[in-house]
C-alpha cells in the first residue's frame, strides 16, 4: 500500500464515457415509466398583460389529449423563494413566452397539437423590453448576483481620475446570451403513494427536491429527484426550472407519469439567459501604467418577475491595483424573461470590458499589454485588502507569452497583411472566484470494495470520475475498487454543480468520509467485518473554520485573429490559455473543461448574441440555426495549459474550480487581437461581419 | 403537429396525380426544411407525397454538352460529382458552402430549390407574416431585419431566399423541369423563384400540383466559375450575401460573364445589369466594382429601427462580386470558402 501511486492528477477516462457514446446513458427525457403521458407548454404571446379568457375545448378534442392545465384549474402551489416557478397560478403575464397552459396527451405529437389548439385571449398592456444606458427606470441594487454588494467605493475616484496623466474611458456592450446546453431542460414526474419521483435535468437535485417539497407541501423525504446524466447546463439548470414543476403538476392532475421536454425554441424565455450589459470603464494611470483610478459601471436588465443583477463590475474589485475605485451596478426591470446564471456570470462580461480597457491603457501608455498587467498585479485583493491564498496571474502571463511566441510582437495596429486579410494578436487575463459549499457524503466498505455516496451532479464535466479518484486516494485503494454513486436526492445531501464549486465541495466531503472510513477499518484491525463498515461526513464545520483569504483562480489567454477586409469576417486562428487553478485533479477532463470554456468565449466574441424584439418582447434568435454557437470550423489551434500551483488554503485536494475560468477573458483577447489587426476598436459584441465591414469603411 | 396522410407513389406521374387530387398536399424529399416547418406549425399539409424514392436521382450528360440533375440527387452527391466539379465548380462550391454535412447528405436538389425563407417572423406562428399568413402584415419591416432583402422586396415582404445552390444555378443558366397535371414544361431557374410583390406567399411559379423532376445545366458559358459566401459563422450559417460568377476573359477583355447574388433578395439575384456593363469591358477590378455598383444601385436597404439594419449587404455584395470576378480573371484555381 505504501507504494501505491495516487490517481489524482492523472488522466483517468470518464467512467461513464462508454455508456454515453453507446447510448446506454439515459437522460431525463429518456425515462418512460408505464403509462407515461407527454406534455407541452403553451407560451404567452403578449409581452405584458393578463389572460382574459381560456378555451380548451379544441385542445381537449384533439385525439389523444388527456388534460389541459391553465391558471384557472392547475394545482395550487405553495409560495416559494423563486417566483419563476409560480406557473399557472394566476392570469398575469410578466413576459412573452411565460408558460400559460400545459397540454397533456397520450403521445408527444398529440401534446404538441393540443398545445397549439389552446385558445387564450389577453388584455395586453404596454410593454418595455429594451435596455438603454440612460433608461429612466435604472436603479442601484443593494446586491448583485452572488451576494456581491451592488456598489463599492474606495478612496476618491473622481479626484484621482482628474489628476491621472493617462486616461482610458470606454463603453462596452454585450448582448443577451443564451446557455443552450445540448440537452434541453426535461423532466419525467410520477406520484407513487403520495411520494413524488422525478427524473430531471438539473445541476443539483438536492435543491430541486427541497424546492418541489416546498411548492407541493411535502416533506423532503417524500420527494426523490434523480439526475443521473445531464447534457450540459452552463448555469441554466442551476436552479429548478418550470418544466419540473409543470410535469409534477400534470402528473398529480392525471394520476399518471408525465414527461415534459422543453422545445429548443422555448428555452430562451424559460431557462434564464445572460442579461445584456452596457459597461463603462474608466482607467486613470500614471505614465508608468500603474492604475491610480478605476471605475467600472455595469448597466443591465432584469425582469418584472424577480431581480437578478449580472455582477459584471465585480472582477474589477479583484484584478488590479486600484487605490481609488468605484464599482457600480445599475439595473432596470423590463418586461423580459428573467435572466440568470450563465457560465461565469459577472466575470465573463465584466472581464470583457475590463480587459479591453486594459488593452487600451497599454496602448495609451506605450506599454506591452502583458507588461502593463504585471505592473498592476496587486499584493493583496484590492477591494477587501485580504491576502491571496495564491495568485498565479503573473506566471500565467509569462508562461502564456512564452508558449504563444508573444515576445518581439510589433505593437503597431493594422500593419500585418496577408492578401485581403489583416492579422493581429491580443491578450487578456482570466479570473474566477474559488467557492466551496457544505456537502455531506458517505463511504462504505462492503463486499470487498468501496461504495461512495454523494448527491453530486455530473453535468458532463467528469465529476463522477474525479470524485472516484478522490475517494480512491483517500482510501488508498485502486480506482477499480471504488464504486461512486451520484445523481439522486436520496443520496447524502450535496450542493449544486455551479460556481465552479462542485469538485471542491463534494470532493472535500468524499475525502473526509473516506478517511473516516479508513480510520474505522483501522479500528477493526484493518479488516472489514462481514456486515460492512460505513462513515458519513459533513463539511459544514470545516468550511466555517476556513481562514479568511482572497481565493481566486487566474489565467491568461492569447489569441491570433484574421479579419477579412472584403467581407468583415473575423476568424480566430490560434487561441492559447494558461491557467493557475491549484492542483489539477484530472488532466484529461480539466483540459476539456478549459478548452470548452475558451470555445464558448470565442463564440461570445465572434458569434453569440440575441436581439430583444422591441415590438414583441422576445428574443428573436431562439433556435440553434439563428443563435450561432461556434462550430468545429470556427475553432483552430486551441490549447489549454496550466502552471503548477500549490495552495494549502483551499481544500484537502488543493484544487480550484475550472468550469468557468476558461470562458473569462477570451472575448477580450479576441477583441484586442481584432484591434491589433485592424487598428479599429469595436466595443460591441459580437464582432459580426456587418459591424466590422462598416467599421473598416466598407 | 397536425396528423397528415402519407403517400409513396411509384412514378412521377402518380406523384403529380396525388398532388392534384389532394389540395394542400406537399411533396416530401429530404424533409430537412419541410419537416422542421411542420413541427413549428408553419406548414400543415394534409398529405405528404413522398417522392424521395422516385427514379429521379441520376446525374446525366445531355446531348448539348450539359448535365441533367435529377430532383432527388442529394446535395452532397451533387457537390462531389466529377462532372460538376470539373465543369461547374461554382455549383459544387455553393453546395458545400451550405448547411452542414449531415443536412447535405439528406437534402435534395429540388428540395434545396424549394426551401423556404429563414426570416424569423415567417418561422414564428405567433407573429404576423404575409408569407405565412397573407394579409397579416410584415413584422420584419419594422422589426429585426439584418438578414432581410435589399433588392426586389415589396412592402408586403422583405424575406430572402436562403439557398446557396440556387445562386450558382442562376449564374449557370440552369433550367428547371416541371411535371404537372397538364404535362411537362421547363422554366429558367432565374424565373422559377418570384419576387414577393403582393403575393409573398408564393415563392415560385410552380403550380401546387407541379413536381420538380430535374434541373438541367447547359454547356457552361465559361469554363471557369466560382462561388463566394460571407457568413457570421464559418460553417452552418446562411449567407449574409454571396456571389456566383462564371467568366470568360480573352486578351484582358470580358468576353462572357454570368453573375448572381445570394442573400439579397426573395430569389437568387441574377445581375444582368452588371453583366451588360462588363461584356467587352477590361477585366479589371475597377470594371468589376463599377459593374457591381451599377447592379446594386437599385438596392433599398432597411433602416434597422434601433437594431442593425441590412445596409451592409450592399458593400458586402459588391466586395464579393469583385472578389470572385477578380479571382476568376486571375486564372487562379477556383476554391470555395
Amino acid at each position: 500500500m505504501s507504494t501505491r501511486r495516487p490517481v489524482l492528477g492523472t488522466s483517468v477516462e470518464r467512467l461513464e464515457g462508454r455508456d454515453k457514446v453507446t447510448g446506454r446513458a439515459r437522460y431525463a427525457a429518456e425515462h418512460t415509466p408505464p403509462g407515461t403521458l407527454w406534455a407541452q407548454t403553451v407560451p404567452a404571446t403578449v409581452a405584458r398583460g393578463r389572460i382574459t379568457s381560456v378555451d380548451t375545448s379544441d385542445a381537449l378534442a384533439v385525439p389523444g389529449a388527456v388534460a389541459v392545465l391553465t391558471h384557472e384549474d392547475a394545482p395550487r402551489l405553495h409560495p416559494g423563494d423563486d417566483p419563476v416557478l409560480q406557473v399557472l397560478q394566476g392570469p398575469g403575464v410578466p413576459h412573452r413566452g411565460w408558460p400559460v397552459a400545459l397540454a397533456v396527451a397520450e403521445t408527444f405529437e398529440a401534446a404538441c397539437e393540443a398545445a397549439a389548439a389552446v385558445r387564450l385571449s389577453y388584455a395586453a398592456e404596454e410593454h418595455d423590453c429594451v435596455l438603454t444606458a440612460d433608461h429612466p427606470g435604472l436603479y442601484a441594487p443593494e446586491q448583485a448576483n452572488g451576494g456581491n454588494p451592488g456598489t463599492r467605493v474606495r478612496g476618491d475616484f473622481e479626484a484621482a481620475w482628474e489628476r491621472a496623466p493617462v486616461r482610458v474611458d470606454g463603453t462596452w456592450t454585450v448582448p443577451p446570451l443564451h446557455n443552450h446546453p445540448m440537452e434541453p431542460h426535461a423532466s419525467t414526474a410520477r406520484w407513487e403513494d403520495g411520494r413524488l419521483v422525478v427524473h430531471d435535468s438539473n445541476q443539483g437535485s438536492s435543491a430541486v427536491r427541497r424546492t418541489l417539497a416546498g411548492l407541493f407541501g411535502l416533506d423532503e423525504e417524500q420527494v426523490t429527484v434523480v439526475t443521473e446524466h445531464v447534457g450540459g447546463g452552463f448555469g441554466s439548470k442551476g436552479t429548478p426550472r418550470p418544466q419540473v414543476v409543470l410535469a409534477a403538476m400534470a402528473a398529480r392532475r392525471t394520476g399518471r407519469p408525465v414527461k415534459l421536454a422543453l422545445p429548443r425554441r422555448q428555452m430562451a424565455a424559460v431557462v434564464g439567459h445572460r442579461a445584456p450589459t452596457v459597461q463603462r470603464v474608466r482607467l486613470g494611470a500614471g505614465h508608468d501604467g500603474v492604475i491610480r483610478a478605476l471605475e467600472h459601471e455595469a448597466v443591465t436588465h432584469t425582469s418584472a418577475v424577480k431581480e437578478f443583477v449580472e455582477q459584471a463590475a465585480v472582477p474589477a474589485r479583484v484584478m488590479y491595483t486600484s487605490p481609488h475605485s468605484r464599482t457600480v451596478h445599475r439595473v432596470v426591470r423590463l418586461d423580459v424573461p428573467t435572466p440568470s446564471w450563465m457560465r461565469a456570470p459577472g466575470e465573463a462580461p465584466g472581464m470583457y470590458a475590463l480587459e479591453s480597457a486594459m488593452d487600451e491603457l497599454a496602448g495609451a501608455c506605450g506599454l506591452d499589454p502583458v507588461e502593463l498587467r504585471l505592473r498592476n498585479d496587486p499584493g493583496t485583493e484590492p477591494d477587501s485588502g485580504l491576502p491571496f491564498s495564491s495568485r498565479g496571474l503573473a506566471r500565467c502571463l509569462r508562461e502564456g507569452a512564452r508558449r504563444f511566441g508573444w515576445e518581439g510582437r510589433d505593437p503597431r495596429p493594422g500593419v500585418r497583411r496577408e492578401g485581403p486579410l489583416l492579422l493581429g494578436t491580443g491578450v487578456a487575463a482570466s479570473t474566477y472566484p474559488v467557492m466551496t459549499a457544505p456537502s455531506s457524503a458517505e463511504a462504505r466498505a462492503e463486499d470487498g470494495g468501496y461504495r461512495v455516496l454523494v448527491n453530486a451532479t455530473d453535468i458532463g464535466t467528469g465529476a463522477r470520475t474525479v470524485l472516484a479518484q478522490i475517494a480512491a486516494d483517500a482510501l488508498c485503494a485502486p480506482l477499480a475498487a471504488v464504486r461512486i454513486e451520484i445523481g439522486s436526492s436520496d443520496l447524502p445531501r450535496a450542493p449544486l454543480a455551479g460556481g465552479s464549486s462542485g469538485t471542491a465541495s463534494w470532493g472535500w466531503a468524499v475525502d473526509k468520509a473516506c478517511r473516516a472510513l479508513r480510520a474505522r477499518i483501522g479500528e477493526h484491525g484493518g479488516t472489514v467485518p462481514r456486515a460492512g463498515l460505513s462513515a458519513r461526513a459533513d463539511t459544514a464545520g470545516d468550511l466555517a473554520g476556513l481562514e479568511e483569504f482572497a481565493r481566486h483562480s487566474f489565467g491568461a489567454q492569447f489569441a491570433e485573429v484574421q479579419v477579412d477586409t472584403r467581407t468583415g469576417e473575423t476568424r480566430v486562428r490560434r487561441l492559447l490559455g494558461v491557467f493557475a487553478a491549484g492542483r489539477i485533479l484530472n488532466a484529461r477532463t480539466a483540459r476539456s473543461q478549459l478548452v470548452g470554456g475558451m470555445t464558448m468565449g470565442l463564440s461570445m466574441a465572434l458569434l453569440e448574441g440575441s436581439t430583444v424584439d422591441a415590438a414583441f418582447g422576445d428574443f428573436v434568435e431562439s433556435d440553434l440555426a439563428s443563435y450561432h454557437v461556434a462550430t468545429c470550423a470556427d475553432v483552430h489551434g486551441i490549447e489549454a495549459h496550466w502552471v503548477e500551483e500549490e495552495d494549502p488554503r483551499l481544500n484537502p485536494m488543493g484544487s480550484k474550480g475550472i468550469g468557468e475560468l476558461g470562458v473569462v477573458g477570451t472575448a477580450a483577447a479576441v477583441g484586442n487581437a481584432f484591434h491589433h489587426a485592424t487598428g479599429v476598436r469595436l466595443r460591441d459584441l459580437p464582432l459580426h461581419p456587418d459591424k466590422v465591414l462598416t467599421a473598416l469603411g466598407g | 403537429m397536425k396528423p397528415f396522410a402519407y403517400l409513396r407513389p411509384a412514378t412521377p406521374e402518380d406523384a403529380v396525380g396525388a398532388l392534384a387530387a389532394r389540395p394542400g398536399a406537399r411533396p416530401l424529399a429530404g424533409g430537412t426544411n419541410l419537416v422542421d416547418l411542420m413541427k413549428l406549425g408553419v406548414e400543415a399539409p394534409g398529405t405528404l407525397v413522398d417522392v424521395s424514392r422516385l427514379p429521379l436521382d441520376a446525374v446525366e450528360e445531355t446531348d448539348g454538352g450539359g448535365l441533367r440533375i435529377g430532383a432527388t440527387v442529394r446535395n452532397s452527391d451533387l457537390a462531389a460529382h466529377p462532372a460538376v466539379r470539373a465543369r461547374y465548380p461554382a455549383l459544387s462550391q455553393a453546395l458545400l458552402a451550405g448547411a452542414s454535412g449531415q443536412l447535405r447528405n439528406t437534402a435534395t436538389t429540388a428540395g434545396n430549390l424549394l426551401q423556404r425563407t429563414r426570416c424569423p417572423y415567417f418561422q414564428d406562428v405567433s407573429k404576423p407574416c404575409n408569407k405565412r399568413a397573407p394579409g397579416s402584415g410584415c413584422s420584419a419591416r419594422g422589426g429585426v431585419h439584418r438578414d432581410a432583402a435589399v433588392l426586389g422586396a415589396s412592402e408586403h415582404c422583405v424575406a430572402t431566399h436562403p439557398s446557396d445552390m440556387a445562386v450558382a444555378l442562376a449564374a449557370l443558366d440552369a433550367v428547371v423541369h416541371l411535371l404537372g397535371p397538364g404535362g411537362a414544361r421547363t422554366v429558367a431557374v432565374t424565373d422559377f423563384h418570384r419576387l414577393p410583390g403582393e403575393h409573398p406567399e408564393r415563392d415560385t411559379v410552380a403550380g401546387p400540383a407541379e413536381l420538380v423532376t430535374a434541373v438541367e445545366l447547359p454547356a457552361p458559358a465559361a469554363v471557369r466559375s466560382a462561388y463566394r459566401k460571407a457568413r457570421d459563422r464559418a460553417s452552418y450559417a446562411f449567407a449574409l450575401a454571396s456571389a456566383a460568377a462564371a467568366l470568360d476573359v480573352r486578351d484582358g477583355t470580358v468576353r462572357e460573364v454570368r453573375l448572381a447574388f445570394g442573400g439579397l433578395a426573395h430569389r437568387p439575384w441574377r445581375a444582368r445589369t452588371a453583366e451588360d456593363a462588363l461584356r467587352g469591358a477590361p477585366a479589371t477590378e475597377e470594371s468589376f466594382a463599377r459593374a457591381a455598383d451599377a447592379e446594386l444601385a437599385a438596392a433599398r436597404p432597411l433602416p434597422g429601427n434601433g437594431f442593425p439594419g441590412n445596409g451592409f449587404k450592399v458593400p458586402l455584395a459588391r466586395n464579393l462580386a469583385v472578389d470572385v470576378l477578380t479571382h476568376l480573371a486571375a486564372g487562379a484555381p477556383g476554391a470555395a470558402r
Side-chain angles (χ1 to χ4, degrees), chain A residues 88-129:
Chain A
L88 309 187
Q89 301 301 297
V93 175
H95 62 78
R96 193 180 182 100
W98 175 261
V100 287
L102 185 73
V104 190
E106 298 284 350
T107 64
F108 169 72
E109 290 77 10
C112 292
E113 195 187 348
V118 174
R119 309 282 162 239
L120 293 153
S121 304
Y122 301 92
E125 295 161 19
E126 223 173 287
H127 64 267
D128 179 6
C129 298

Side-chain angles (χ1 to χ4, degrees), chain B:
Chain B
M1 187 183 272
K2 286 206 177 343
F4 55 86
Y6 172 83
L7 303 177
R8 194 189 293 167
T11 66
E13 290 73 18
D14 289 350
V16 169
L19 291 169
R22 294 165 172 255
R26 297 291 307 270
L28 172 74
T32 59
N33 185 215
L34 178 59
V35 174
D36 278 358
L37 293 174
M38 289 169 68
K39 291 178 184 170
L40 295 175
V42 174
E43 298 262 16
T47 302
L48 285 185
V49 179
D50 186 345
V51 297
S52 65
R53 290 171 175 80
L54 294 181
L56 299 172
D57 61 348
V59 179
E60 299 159 314
E61 298 284 345
T62 63
D63 293 342
L67 280 184
R68 184 186 162 102
I69 302 158
T72 62
V73 173
R74 306 285 160 174
N75 286 178
S76 45
D77 291 337
L78 185 58
H81 196 281
V84 174
R85 291 169 54 115
R87 282 145 57 194
Y88 308 96
L91 176 57
S92 182
Q93 292 165 15
L95 284 160
L96 293 176
S100 66
Q102 293 91 330
L103 288 167
R104 293 194 296 269
N105 287 343
T106 303
T108 63
T109 307
N112 190 319
L113 273 182
L114 292 165
Q115 68 177 305
R116 312 211 63 193
T117 185
R118 294 321 196 271
C119 178
Y121 301 102
F122 174 71
Q123 298 189 76
D124 185 342
V125 296
S126 71
K127 295 169 184 169
C129 167
N130 287 324
K131 181 179 279 296
R132 175 170 36 76
S136 60
C138 174
S139 301
R141 266 199 172 274
V144 175
H145 52 225
R146 171 176 172 260
D147 296 334
V150 293
L151 289 167
S154 73
E155 63 177 294
H156 305 287
C157 183
V158 295
T160 55
H161 194 261
S163 171
D164 293 296
M165 180 194 80
V167 181
L169 291 178
L172 296 168
D173 290 313
V175 171
V176 181
H177 287 250
L178 294 168
L179 181 67
R185 66 170 178 139
T186 59
V187 180
V189 78
T190 48
D191 296 328
F192 182 68
H193 296 97
R194 298 177 64 258
L195 290 179
E198 296 191 356
H199 290 286
E201 73 278 12
R202 283 155 50 190
D203 290 354
T204 72
V205 298
E210 277 190 309
L211 190 68
V212 174
T213 54
V215 171
E216 188 173 331
L217 288 168
V223 174
R224 298 183 49 69
S225 67
Y227 184 72
R228 286 282 186 273
K229 173 179 180 178
R231 47 184 151 177
D232 288 334
R233 173 162 72 176
S235 173
Y236 188 40
F238 292 97
L240 297 167
S242 68
L247 184 68
D248 185 8
V249 174
R250 300 281 165 88
D251 303 325
T253 300
V254 175
R255 242 174 75 114
E256 200 43 87
V257 62
R258 301 283 188 276
L259 178 67
F261 289 113
L264 302 190
H266 197 256
R267 68 181 185 203
W269 191 267
R270 178 71 179 265
R272 296 190 194 277
T273 304
E275 291 175 9
D276 291 343
L278 278 175
R279 275 188 205 95
T284 61
E285 201 173 315
E286 293 69 37
S287 309
F288 299 146
R290 216 167 19 246
D293 285 339
E295 185 71 42
L296 294 163
R300 296 290 175 269
L302 297 163
N305 311 314
F307 307 112
N310 63 355
F312 73 100
K313 287 189 171 187
V314 176
L316 177 58
R318 182 200 52 216
N319 292 355
L320 287 166
V322 171
D323 184 54
V324 70
L325 290 166
T326 307
H327 164 82
L328 290 171
R337 286 194 317 114

Side-chain angles (χ1 to χ4, degrees), chain A residues 462-530:
Chain A
R464 188 180 271 108
T465 309
V466 78
L467 291 175
Q469 290 175 263
I470 291 168
D473 277 7
L475 291 162
C476 289
L479 190 63
V482 176
R483 210 168 96 208
I484 183 94
E485 291 181 26
I486 66 169
S488 168
S489 64
D490 290 346
L491 295 167
R493 177 187 295 274
L496 76 157
S500 299
S501 67
T503 301
S505 307
W506 312 317
W508 194 330
V510 165
D511 178 83
K512 191 176 178 185
C514 289
R515 287 178 193 281
L517 179 62
R518 248 180 83 200
R520 290 211 62 195
I521 296 171
E523 289 161 15
H524 284 76
T527 52
V528 178
R530 188 170 309 169

